Amino acid sequence: AQKVTQAQTEISVVEKEDVTLDCVYETRDTTYYLFWYKQPPSGELVFLIRRNSFDEQNEISGRYSWNFQKSTSSFNFTITASQVVDSAVYFCALPRSNDYKLSFGAGTTVTVRA
Amino acid sequence: NAGVTQTPKFRILKIGQSMTLQCAQDMNHNYMYWYRQDPGMGLKLIYYSVGAGITDKGEVPNGYNVSRSTTEDFPLRLELAAPSQTSVYFCASRMAGGSSGYGYTFGSGTRLTVV
């Protein structure tokens, strides 16, 4: 069975602070991908990043970076120097390899205060 | 390309009424999905389809029905609406095949309130 757990319900920070979002997953697939989505107050789902299980090298893209550790089944996401526009709900998601059904975590609400 | 189009964007239903949420995609995607998002929660899969004429239940199918007569359209039918179906509904699609890392296209959502 697929399962995604985001233990943090809400995070509140002051602008320019870093924010790290935790994601722990369970899957029976031997190879898989993980996604992060952003849902701003307007409600749409915005794709942010995907990562495959082949490569545990951490990456940085602009103010976003992620830390993927297969040994602990974690896929954490960091926003560096947060801005008010980063205020949103962030979802971690895991697709199943046979039918591509996406399993979502419950989401973490990030509030960045000016 | 329009991507995934959902209509309506907002709807208020009375208890016991029925309605159909429309979802259409113009990308020739085989896979289509319906999710619901309750306040403060993640998205839960209602139904999905791997191609025209093929549908299957997700995690929370009770109270809903779907059909997939064409590749483009995947309507979600609510019969006898209940307050528990108050939610935001998202439709999504993706192409067939490829790795599980291939991207999904989401519609902008339908906000449904049952009173």
Side-chain angles (χ1 to χ4, degrees):
Chain A
Q2 306 263 108
K3 186 177 180 181
V4 178
T5 302
Q6 292 179 254
Q8 303 154 306
T9 306
E10 295 183 31
I11 299 176
S12 181
V13 298
V14 176
E15 213 169 14
K16 298 184 183 177
E17 288 184 345
D18 296 348
V19 180
T20 295
L21 308 178
D22 298 333
C23 173
V24 175
Y25 61 92
E26 296 176 26
T27 180
R28 292 179 181 172
D29 292 337
T30 54
T31 60
Y32 48 90
Y33 280 77
L34 289 150
F35 295 74
W36 277 97
Y37 286 89
K38 174 183 179 180
Q39 187 177 44
S42 52
E44 75 273 21
L45 282 164
V46 179
F47 166 77
L48 294 177
I49 58 170
R50 75 169 63 92
R51 192 73 187 155
N52 69 58
S53 59
F54 304 141
D55 187 356
E56 294 190 55
Q57 184 175 6
N58 299 323
E59 289 191 19
I60 298 172
S61 175
R63 294 189 299 109
Y64 297 154
S65 62
W66 45 98
N67 182 347
F68 175 49
Q69 292 191 342
K70 203 170 177 179
S71 60
T72 56
S73 297
S74 66
F75 183 48
N76 298 336
F77 176 71
T78 298
I79 305 170
T80 301
S82 61
Q83 302 173 1
V84 172
V85 293
D86 295 326
S87 296
V89 182
Y90 290 82
F91 293 100
C92 183
L94 171 67
R96 200 161 71 173
S97 61
N98 56 349
D99 52 23
Y100 309 118
K101 289 193 286 188
L102 264 179
S103 296
F104 285 84
T108 300
T109 300
V110 174
T111 302
V112 182
R113 307 184 309 277
Chain B
N1 285 342
V4 175
T5 302
Q6 290 184 239
T7 55
K9 292 191 183 303
F10 304 93
R11 182 73 185 268
I12 298 175
L13 275 183
K14 292 185 178 179
I15 294 172
Q17 286 185 322
S18 300
M19 77 164 293
T20 299
L21 280 66
Q22 301 291 344
C23 176
Q25 51 90 11
D26 61 358
M27 298 168 286
N28 203 33
H29 283 175
N30 285 69
Y31 288 76
M32 295 188 75
Y33 308 85
W34 273 108
Y35 288 89
R36 61 176 284 172
Q37 182 184 16
D38 298 330
M41 304 290 286
L43 281 72
K44 300 288 187 186
L45 183 65
I46 306 171
Y47 270 96
Y48 69 104
S49 169
V50 301
I54 306 170
T55 62
D56 207 348
K57 296 177 181 179
E59 301 171 78
V60 290
N62 291 343
Y64 306 95
N65 277 302
V66 293
S67 59
R68 185 94 184 269
S69 57
T70 66
T71 298
E72 293 78 20
D73 300 300
F74 190 40
L76 178 72
R77 178 82 176 163
L78 278 72
E79 305 282 0
L80 299 175
S84 61
Q85 293 177 304
T86 294
S87 191
V88 179
Y89 292 83
F90 287 98
C91 180
S93 73
R94 60 154 282 158
M95 63 176 277
S99 71
S100 62
Y102 190 85
Y104 297 74
T105 302
F106 281 87
S108 58
T110 295
R111 186 175 297 273
L112 176 68
T113 302
V114 182
V115 296

